[in-house]
Each structure stands twice: as structure tokens, then as C-alpha cells.
């Protein structure tokens, strides 16, 4: 009979055996790749206009105000649900979202969309995603793509996420991670988002993206949240397997999430269509249209449960 | 770990990162090898982890936590390599017998083989806990944080993994007794 103590001793001795030195060629390969491996900034960090002078800041701010006004005028009457129209617009905490395409691969609703010009090829864990985004979209670390800016007042884009866990209170992320962590299925994440502070905006709907079934769920950062008072000065919805956070770019931001998974329920991908209430509807339609053209492959089987 | 180096690397200083990589490379590789039990996969996982460390360093808020954080990325890389190996290889290549670092302290080659086979049968989640705790000597609460699970889950994984390894050793002992009795 082997005692626990003896087993531990044997296992520890066994673990002491084996290689310990990393071959130089591996280290060299890593160092060779540094110049072409961009470092990931804290997600869309608070480096808004960090390096520009005050005159430029004022110019940009003035331009933004004019843009908002133009958009607001253009939308009055046509899209009252967007809540646009400047600072005096609705301060209701209830989300005001543009309508979503119904469910499965809907036809592109974007008559004004720019020609799709940029191919994307994204790797997210076992998922490989390819497609195109409109001309002019910027890539952030090849997992998020946006049009000019991701920030308020009208930033919009698309990102691909793996989610390891979520937060009950996105403003208090250091102490409110779900414990035990959420499971790996689509419903595990949707349920967690629904259970958190602020919940979800609108109904949860079935969706199929590139042949993978899942759920569409929308979340919105409250308009009245003071992000600077949140933990880490960030309003965080979830954490990735590598410890990176999805934090949002400001009050009011809307994230239409297409959460898809494999049939075993053990692999999950989140397609995040983010925008703001002031984002023009045709731009929202544009990022939705990106989804219609995606090809998604799950390259590896789910990890077997021991 | 030199926190000045970590901070410099966070700002994109490749020389500082090279120093960090040299300092931690052997240790990461040793851990990857013990989790994956395959030299090629371990090299790939270490390379992947070092690049992930470089890529994600700016998101590390507390440089004092660099070591634990880097092990987390390594364990994630091991998961990825483990999955990849299952997807693309019909079987893991069996390890050539490593030269023992010391005299055979636990007595029988059979034990080693039995342990190796038993270890390969448990999930990488469980292997990671065993290696972090029994090889690196990490306390279980730190193991839990590193692999991103509650402490109770880490304890449970360690318990089940060690129970499996113990059963493998006992099965091996029984087979030897039967051989002797014939």
C-alpha cells in the first residue's frame, strides 16, 4: 500500500527529472519575433488624445460636436430611439438600441456601406475567423477592428473574444468575479451577463453565425456610470483566458454580443459589435454586415472532460 | 524578478524583455515540459508563452506579480499546445527516457513509466496543478490564482490527480507481486 506521503515523495522525485534548459534556438526565435509582435495596450486605454496639444484637442472636440449635431439633425424623427441630439438628449438609464437583424444571417441592411476592402484573419483560441471589414477600418492587435475610433461619441467596430469569467459588478471588477467561474457554454455566459449589475438590454435571441448556433444578447454601459471611480478606472465586463479585460470605452456604449459555441458546449466565441447611441445607424448596419460575411472554423476539438 | 526590467519591457524595451526572457526561460520550459510530457510541445508552449508575455506585458498592472502572471500565460499556452496535439497528432510522441538528474531515488524504473503513463491520462488542468504545486512549490491558493480557478477547485484537482497517480503506482506494485508469485 502506498501512503499519501510516499506518493507525494515519489511524484516530487519524478518531477525533478527531465529537461530544464530552454534551447537557445527557441529563445532566439522569440526575440526575433519581437519587432513584428505588437504589444497589447490595456484595452483601448485611457490615452485619449494623449500626445496632442491643447489646440488640436479643441479642434477635435469642436469637430466632434459639429459631427454630433449633424448626425442628430439627420436622425431627428427618423430614429428617435437612438437618443441622440446632444447633451440634452434622454438621460434615461434604459438602453436605447438600434434594431438588430432578426436572427440568422440576414441580408446586409447597409445601402451606404463602403466597399468591403480589408480582409481579416483572426485567431481566437481554437477559432479561426476570416472575412472582410469596410475600407478604412483599423485593426487592434488583430482581434478588434474599428472605424477611426472606438471611443464616444460615435465609435463603432467589431471584436472577437474568448471569455474566461465575468463580473457581477463591472465597476467593481476586483472583487466581483463570478465564483465559481462561469462555465464554457453559450448559456453560461448569457446567464452571467443577465445576472450581473445592470443586466442585459433587450431580449436574448437565438442566432446562427457561419453555421454556429448561439445567442444574441446586448449589454450597455449605464449612461450615468463614473468610469473613473471604477476599479482600475475601467468598467469591465469580462476577463479573457490570458487575463486581459474587456473594458468599455465610456458611458452609453452598446455591445451587441453574438455568443456562439460548438455543439459540445465547451468552446465559445463572442463576436462583439460595439457602438454608441450616437453612432449613425448605417455604421451600425455596416458592422452587422461584417458578420454576414464571416467564415468561422473551430480548428480543434473541445478539451475532453477528465 | 527585477521590477525595473519588467517596467522597461512594459514600455516596449526589447533589451529589457530579452533579459527577462533569459531569466525566466529555463523555468518556464521546465514547467511546460513537466505538464505536457513532450519535448517538442514544451518548446512550442514556452515560445508561445514568451511571446504572449511580451504582447500582454502592458496589461500587467502590478509588476510584482510578474512571476505568477507569466506562469498563468504558460499554463494557457500548455492548454493550447495540448489541444493542438490532440487535433493534429494521432498520439503524443512518447518521451525518450530522460536522464535522471539524480540517482533513481524512487527505486524502480517501472514506477517512472507507470507515473508517466498515468500522468498522460489526466487532463492538462490537473497536471498543471500538480506541477505548480509539487514541482514549483507554489501554495495552493497561488496555484488557484495562477490557473484561474477557485482555491477549492485547485485542491480538488490536486486530490484527484494524486489519487490517480497513487492508484497507478499501486497497480504497478500489484503486477510486480503477481509476477514474483508465478
Amino acid at each position: 500500500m502506498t501512503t499519501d506521503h510516499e506518493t507525494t515523495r515519489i511524484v516530487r522525485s519524478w518531477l525533478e527529472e527531465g529537461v530544464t534548459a530552454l534551447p537557445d534556438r527557441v529563445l532566439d526565435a522569440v526575440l526575433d519575433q519581437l519587432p513584428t509582435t505588437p504589444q497589447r495596450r490595456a484595452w483601448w486605454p485611457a490615452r485619449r488624445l494623449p500626445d496632442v496639444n491643447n489646440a488640436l484637442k479643441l479642434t477635435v472636440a469642436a469637430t466632434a460636436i459639429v459631427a454630433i449635431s449633424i448626425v442628430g439633425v439627420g436622425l431627428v424623427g427618423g430614429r428617435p430611439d437612438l437618443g441622440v441630439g446632444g447633451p440634452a438628449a434622454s438621460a434615461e438609464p434604459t438602453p436605447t438600441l438600434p434594431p438588430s437583424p432578426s436572427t440568422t444571417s440576414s441580408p446586409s441592411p447597409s445601402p451606404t456601406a463602403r466597399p468591403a476592402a480589408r480582409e481579416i484573419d483572426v485567431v481566437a483560441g481554437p477559432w479561426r475567423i476570416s472575412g472582410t471589414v469596410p475600407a478604412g477600418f483599423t485593426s487592434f492587435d488583430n482581434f478588434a477592428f474599428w472605424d477611426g475610433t472606438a471611443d464616444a461619441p460615435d465609435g463603432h467596430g467589431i471584436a472577437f473574444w474568448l471569455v474566461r469569467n465575468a463580473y457581477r459588478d463591472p465597476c467593481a471588477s476586483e472583487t466581483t468575479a463570478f465564483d465559481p467561474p462561469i462555465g464554457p457554454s453559450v448559456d453560461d455566459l448569457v446567464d452571467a451577463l443577465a445576472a450581473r449589475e445592470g443586466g442585459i438590454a433587450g431580449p436574448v435571441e437565438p442566432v446562427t453565425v457561419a453555421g454556429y448556433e448561439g445567442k444574441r444578447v446586448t449589454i450597455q454601459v449605464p449612461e450615468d456610470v463614473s468610469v473613473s471611480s471604477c476599479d482600475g478606472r475601467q468598467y469591465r465586463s469580462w476577463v479573457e483566458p490570458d487575463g486581459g479585460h474587456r473594458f468599455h470605452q465610456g458611458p452609453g456604449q452598446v455591445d451587441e454580443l453574438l455568443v456562439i459555441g460548438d455543439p459540445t458546449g465547451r468552446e465559445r466565441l463572442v463576436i462583439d459589435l460595439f457602438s454608441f447611441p450616437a453612432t449613425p445607424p448605417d455604421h451600425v448596419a455596416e458592422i452587422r454586415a461584417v458578420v454576414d460575411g464571416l467564415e468561422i472554423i473551430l480548428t480543434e476539438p473541445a478539451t475532453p472532460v477528465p | 524578478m527585477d521590477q525595473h526590467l519588467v517596467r522597461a519591457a512594459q514600455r516596449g524595451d526589447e533589451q529589457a524583455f530579452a533579459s527577462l526572457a533569459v531569466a525566466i526561460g529555463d523555468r518556464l520550459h521546465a514547467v511546460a515540459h513537466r505538464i505536457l510530457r513532450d519535448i517538442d510541445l514544451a518548446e512550442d508552449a514556452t515560445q508561445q508563452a514568451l511571446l504572449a508575455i511580451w504582447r500582454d506585458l502592458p496589461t500587467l498592472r502590478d509588476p510584482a506579480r510578474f512571476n505568477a502572471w507569466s506562469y498563468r500565460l504558460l499554463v494557457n499556452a500548455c492548454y493550447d499546445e495540448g489541444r493542438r496535439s490532440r487535433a493534429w497528432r494521432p498520439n503524443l510522441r512518447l518521451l525518450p527516457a530522460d536522464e535522471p538528474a539524480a540517482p533513481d531515488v524512487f527505486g524502480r524504473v517501472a514506477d517512472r513509466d507507470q507515473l508517466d503513463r498515468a500522468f498522460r491520462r489526466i487532463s492538462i488542468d490537473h497536471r498543471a496543478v500538480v506541477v505548480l504545486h509539487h514541482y514549483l512549490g507554489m501554495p495552493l491558493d497561488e496555484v488557484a490564482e495562477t490557473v484561474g480557478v477557485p482555491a477549492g477547485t485547485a485542491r480538488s484537482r490536486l486530490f484527484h490527480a494524486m489519487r490517480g497517480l497513487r492508484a497507478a503506482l499501486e497497480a504497478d506494485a500489484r503486477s510486480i507481486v503477481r509476477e514474483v508469485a508465478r
Side-chain angles (χ1 to χ4, degrees), chain A residues 1-4 7-23 25-27 29-31 33-35 37-42 126 141 164 174 179-181 232 236 241-243 267 299-301 303-304 306, chain B residues 9-12 14 17-18 21-22 25-26 29-30 33-34 37 39 43 46-47 50-51 54-59 61 72-73 76 83-84 86-87 98 100 105-106 112 115-116 119 123 126 134-135 148 150 162 165-166 169-170:
Chain A
M1 189 70 170
T2 312
T3 65
D4 287 341
T7 304
T8 299
R9 184 182 63 80
I10 292 172
V11 168
R12 284 184 174 168
S13 297
W14 174 70
L15 287 172
E16 284 300 318
E17 297 183 358
V19 298
T20 54
L22 180 66
R25 61 183 159 73
V26 178
L27 195 55
V30 170
L31 299 180
Q33 291 180 65
L34 296 188
T37 306
Q39 284 191 303
R40 187 176 215 163
R41 300 296 156 194
D141 207 11
R164 189 182 80 217
E174 291 180 1
D179 186 8
R236 297 166 171 163
D242 66 2
E267 299 289 357
T299 60
E300 301 157 11
T303 306
Chain B
Q10 284 185 305
R11 292 192 297 269
E14 294 180 10
F17 181 77
V22 167
D26 287 352
H29 182 51
H33 182 233
R34 280 150 183 81
R37 310 304 300 172
I39 195 73
E43 287 180 5
T46 307
Q47 181 170 337
L50 284 169
L51 283 170
W54 163 255
R55 191 190 66 216
D56 292 344
L57 252 182
T59 68
R61 272 191 289 154
R72 166 179 285 194
L73 296 190
N76 288 336
R83 282 197 299 208
R84 199 161 290 138
R86 276 192 291 275
D98 292 315
V105 291
F106 53 93
R112 188 183 298 117
L115 274 175
D116 199 52
F119 203 66
S123 73
H126 289 71
H134 283 311
Y135 178 62
M162 293 302 287
L165 295 175
R166 180 178 171 178
L169 289 170
E170 289 178 351

Side-chain angles (χ1 to χ4, degrees), chain A residues 105 120 122 124 127-130 133 143-145 157-163 186 189 193 207-219 238 246 254-261 268-274 287-297:
Chain A
S105 285
I120 61 172
V122 177
W127 302 90
R128 302 290 182 272
I129 306 112
S130 58
V133 294
F143 81 104
F145 304 86
I158 182 170
F160 303 91
W161 297 93
L162 300 178
V163 177
V186 169
L189 176 58
L193 292 172
V207 68
T208 302
V209 179
Y212 290 94
E213 294 185 349
K215 300 279 175 67
R216 180 203 312 277
V217 58
T218 301
I219 58 176
W238 59 72
R246 195 299 180 235
V254 176
D255 291 72
E256 182 180 322
L257 307 175
L258 308 176
V259 187
I260 59 173
R268 176 178 58 209
L269 176 70
V270 177
I271 303 169
D272 179 359
L273 310 178
F274 55 87
I287 54 174
R288 287 182 178 144
V290 170
V291 176
D292 295 334
L294 292 179
E295 290 184 12
I296 300 177
I297 300 170

Side-chain angles (χ1 to χ4, degrees), chain A residues 66-86 89 96-99 112 153-154 156 275-285:
Chain A
V66 170
I68 295 168
S69 303
I70 292 170
V71 169
V73 169
L75 293 174
V76 165
R79 298 299 298 262
D81 57 335
L82 289 182
V84 293
T96 52
L97 309 176
T112 59
D154 62 354
H156 58 282
S275 62
F276 284 85
T279 302
D282 59 332
H283 287 183
V284 175

